[in-house]
Amino acid sequence: MNEARRPTIKDVAQHAGVSVGTVSHVLNETINVSAELRQRVEAATRALGYEQNMLAHALRRQRAPVVGLSMPHVASAYLAALIDLFEDIAAGRGYQVMQVLTRRDPEIELRRVRELLRHRVAGLLLVPTLDPRRTLDLIHESRTPAVLVDRPADDPRFDQVTFDNRRVMHQLATELIRLGHRRILFVVQSQMLIISRQRIEALRAAAAQIRRPVKIAILEIGDDAASYADRLLQVMQRPAHPTAVIVSNSTIAALTLSALQTMAGAYPDRISLVSFEEPEWAELISPRLSVIRQPIRDIARQAWQLLLRRMQGDPIPVEHLELHATVMLRESVRKPPPRGRDAGP
Amino acid sequence: MNEARRPTIKDVAQHAGVSVGTVSHVLNETINVSAELRQRVEAATRALGYEQNMLAHALRRQRAPVVGLSMPHVASAYLAALIDLFEDIAAGRGYQVMQVLTRRDPEIELRRVRELLRHRVAGLLLVPTLDPRRTLDLIHESRTPAVLVDRPADDPRFDQVTFDNRRVMHQLATELIRLGHRRILFVVQSQMLIISRQRIEALRAAAAQIRRPVKIAILEIGDDAASYADRLLQVMQRPAHPTAVIVSNSTIAALTLSALQTMAGAYPDRISLVSFEEPEWAELISPRLSVIRQPIRDIARQAWQLLLRRMQGDPIPVEHLELHATVMLRESVRKPPPRGRDAGP
DNA sequence: TTGAAAGCGGTACCAG
DNA sequence: CTGGTACCGCTTTCAA
């Protein structure tokens, strides 16, 4: 039973009447091969349907043309977009993406990244968990190039690309306050996240900056998403309810929108809404949803750029990039109703 | 400059005072090794911080413990969930996931899958494009086990796991008609998709099944998502507007919901809504959104099961599984207003 | 410029 | 059950 074995570089060499070294060189463009031989080799690869074995290639080269991508999950529009961009860039550069999910658990992160390292990935793109220390130690020990993305871990051993959470929240809050909002509600998934903490901090700082008192309320969704709408409405139906709501991601935005729309006349007239993540439908609904536009394309590009330089062995110093996010105020944000009128019709 | 080289299996063998063969056997549990030697080996791997080189492993074994995952994109909740499930199952079985995105383009699909094949993935999970023929030929030629997921390609050479689009749409339509709906609007992204065609077909079939005339309208979003809300409202404001709207995915559901809610008193009293994809917020909004619950967990599990069997070389005949989706009618669906009243105030 | 040959780090066969 | 060793397919040095 002579099953058509996959052709190897030897078969190609034989077919083309050259040595395997020559074939390898035309395959990888390692050195200049005469036009004639190159043609013969290319003809042979086509004739035989030869496909380079990247395992052997990588074993010999001591690294696979593969980057590992580690992130908490894929459910958010933001992370999905990140995957999309990374995949696209990688494909263009001849790299494959090996992806693992940490499910926000540092232990899982450690185990999964270890697997990636076993596969001798050339580099690592990491959206770290809350406590990535052991994982980072492991990576550092293995001398594998890595770039931290989105969640700041502030490790001096690794490049990092994030965006200015604090700054953009400060900007947003300042803008809302300028419009006249004095009671602002910020809805977060979890207060534990570094990102949430940074944003809350910036929100409070912005509020403290003006003379008039601005009240900041935080609503944490936590594990009980089902009761969120009720909890929100409860808050919004109080006499001195918030006049502006900031939500931290697209899912919460959808829920909030739906809840607010059940309160006749409330949204967007009496209550403004801004989302920190940009849902794909933000500009498609009416009134158009105000959002923070995260520089996600730039984050992906820069992260890749840094990683590429490390993979090429550039001895550049560690960089911590912080990109700018943009406040996009649209019709979902208005001036609050005149003071004193909030309480009743 | 003697940079601490990564320890190899030889180092471990030497450190443990055994042969490399023995080390390999305890690593892979290939044969039974005496407890004492196993302990010595394990101690040595720990002492040296040894990490098995999967490239060498895979090269020798002629296949990497890696499955390739090819899908059109990652933007939909459905596909994201699939990735999530596959990653989880794979991790549990000691496999890594190498992921490529086809962006709905058969050419890209072909190129990207070819890359996967070069990496000698042990198996392939494929959410195919509209025309995957050349890709499937390539895969078949390479004798790589593969399972088609979600989009039916009906290729007799490959296992396939889908769900019964036609059946569930038929069921849904029948139910809506039973409730009294006589004008149903189905909103799709593109009529080109096999899935869309199947659903439309089933919808029409269900409508044709009863004596009373049922009007079916199709609204295609196409590339111009921005104008969708307007187009929808235009349809819904006609005198004999549809009383039930079925949308084909979560994004469209969000848009539709938002648009309908701008028509005072329309939703859900005069207009019912059902989504073919289940957004995470479906049960969190009020009224709760009716959805088709796709058996996504089962799809992932079954696809993996089939793939695993093929990867183990089981000579089972090709299977085409069609799993059942479930109609989940909730408060977003009501009886339509009494006949004759639609047109008036 | 081209060819020969030595490994990359494992696995698995074979002999003991 | 254990150890020695050929070899997986490719890259790369070295000599011609």
Side-chain angles (χ1 to χ4, degrees), chain B residues 166-232:
Chain B
R166 287 196 195 79
R167 188 188 132 128
V168 73
M169 176 56 112
H170 195 280
Q171 221 171 302
L172 168 61
T174 304
E175 190 61 28
L176 289 175
I177 291 169
R178 199 187 57 72
L179 282 171
H181 293 276
R182 293 292 175 270
R183 293 187 299 279
I184 301 176
L185 175 68
F186 183 33
V187 182
V188 299
Q189 187 66 52
S190 155
Q191 303 208 43
M192 285 293 293
L193 290 171
I194 296 179
I195 288 185
S196 296
R197 292 209 304 265
Q198 289 184 344
R199 291 175 187 173
I200 292 172
E201 202 178 282
L203 180 55
R204 295 226 160 92
Q209 216 174 246
I210 67 161
R211 278 186 205 77
R212 318 256 203 75
V214 175
K215 209 187 133 207
I216 303 297
I218 310 292
L219 180 51
E220 184 176 31
I221 295 197
D223 297 327
D224 183 18
S227 73
Y228 166 62
D230 284 341
R231 284 185 281 157
L232 175 68

Side-chain angles (χ1 to χ4, degrees), chain B residues 23 72 108 234 278:
Chain B
V23 177
I108 299 182
Q234 202 174 311
E278 186 171 11

Side-chain angles (χ1 to χ4, degrees), chain A residues 248-301:
Chain A
S248 58
N249 69 46
S250 299
T251 303
I252 306 181
L255 295 179
T256 304
L257 202 59
S258 173
L260 292 182
Q261 280 171 327
T262 66
M263 294 172 63
Y267 173 80
D269 298 322
R270 276 161 40 215
I271 301 171
S272 293
L273 179 61
V274 184
S275 169
F276 234 87
E277 193 183 63
E278 186 171 11
E280 27 180 359
W281 38 264
E283 291 199 81
L284 303 176
I285 62 173
S286 172
R288 295 183 308 153
L289 184 65
S290 305
V291 300
I292 301 300
R293 175 163 292 169
Q294 300 176 358
I296 175 166
R297 176 164 246 107
D298 288 335
I299 289 182
R301 254 202 273 274

Side-chain angles (χ1 to χ4, degrees), chain A residues 3-4 6-7 49-56 58-59 62-66 73-76 79-81 83-85 87-88 90-91 94-103 112 114-120 138 141-144 225-227 229 250-251 254-255 257-259 261-262 280-287, chain B residues 3-4 6-7 49-56 58-59 62-66 73-76 79-81 83-85 87-88 90-91 94-103 112 114-120 138 141-144 225-227 229 250-251 254-255 257-259 261-262 280-287:
Chain A
E3 295 236 334
R6 271 203 177 100
Y50 170 71
E51 296 288 353
Q52 192 175 17
N53 183 329
M54 299 315 284
L55 294 173
L59 174 61
Q62 298 280 48
R63 57 181 32 196
V66 173
H73 60 268
V74 292
S76 88
L79 291 178
I83 293 179
D84 194 298
L85 287 166
E87 200 272 350
D88 192 48
Y95 282 88
Q96 299 306 310
V97 174
M98 207 176 255
Q99 184 182 321
V100 301
L101 267 26
T102 64
R103 292 143 211 297
R112 306 295 285 117
R114 193 199 301 281
E115 298 286 335
L116 255 19
L117 259 17
R118 283 207 234 273
H119 282 265
R120 301 300 190 260
L138 183 71
E141 222 171 289
S142 78
R143 299 169 191 284
T144 305
S227 73
S250 299
T251 303
L255 295 179
L257 202 59
S258 173
Q261 280 171 327
T262 66
E280 27 180 359
W281 38 264
E283 291 199 81
L284 303 176
I285 62 173
S286 172
Chain B
E3 294 236 334
R6 271 202 176 100
Y50 170 71
E51 297 288 351
Q52 193 176 16
N53 184 330
M54 299 313 286
L55 294 173
L59 174 60
Q62 297 280 48
R63 57 185 29 197
V66 172
H73 60 269
V74 292
S76 89
L79 291 179
I83 293 179
D84 195 300
L85 288 166
E87 200 273 349
D88 192 49
Y95 283 86
Q96 300 306 310
V97 174
M98 208 176 254
Q99 184 181 324
V100 301
L101 267 25
T102 64
R103 292 143 211 296
R112 306 294 286 120
R114 193 200 302 282
E115 298 285 335
L116 255 19
L117 259 16
R118 283 207 235 273
H119 283 265
R120 301 301 190 259
L138 183 71
E141 222 172 288
S142 78
R143 301 168 189 283
T144 305
S227 73
S250 299
T251 303
L255 295 179
L257 203 58
S258 172
Q261 281 172 328
T262 65
E280 27 180 358
W281 39 264
E283 292 199 83
L284 304 177
I285 60 172
S286 174

Side-chain angles (χ1 to χ4, degrees), chain A residues 104 106 109 128-133 190 192-195 197:
Chain A
R104 300 195 183 83
E109 179 178 54
T129 58
L130 268 177
D131 177 18
R133 279 172 301 177
S190 157
M192 284 293 293
L193 290 171
I194 296 180
I195 287 184
R197 292 209 305 265

Side-chain angles (χ1 to χ4, degrees), chain A residues 19-20 44 87 98 106 150 154 159 212 218-219 244 250 273 289 338:
Chain A
S19 78
V20 293
E87 200 272 350
M98 207 176 255
D150 189 61
D154 295 320
D159 294 321
R212 315 257 204 76
I218 309 293
L219 180 52
S250 299
L273 179 61
L289 184 65

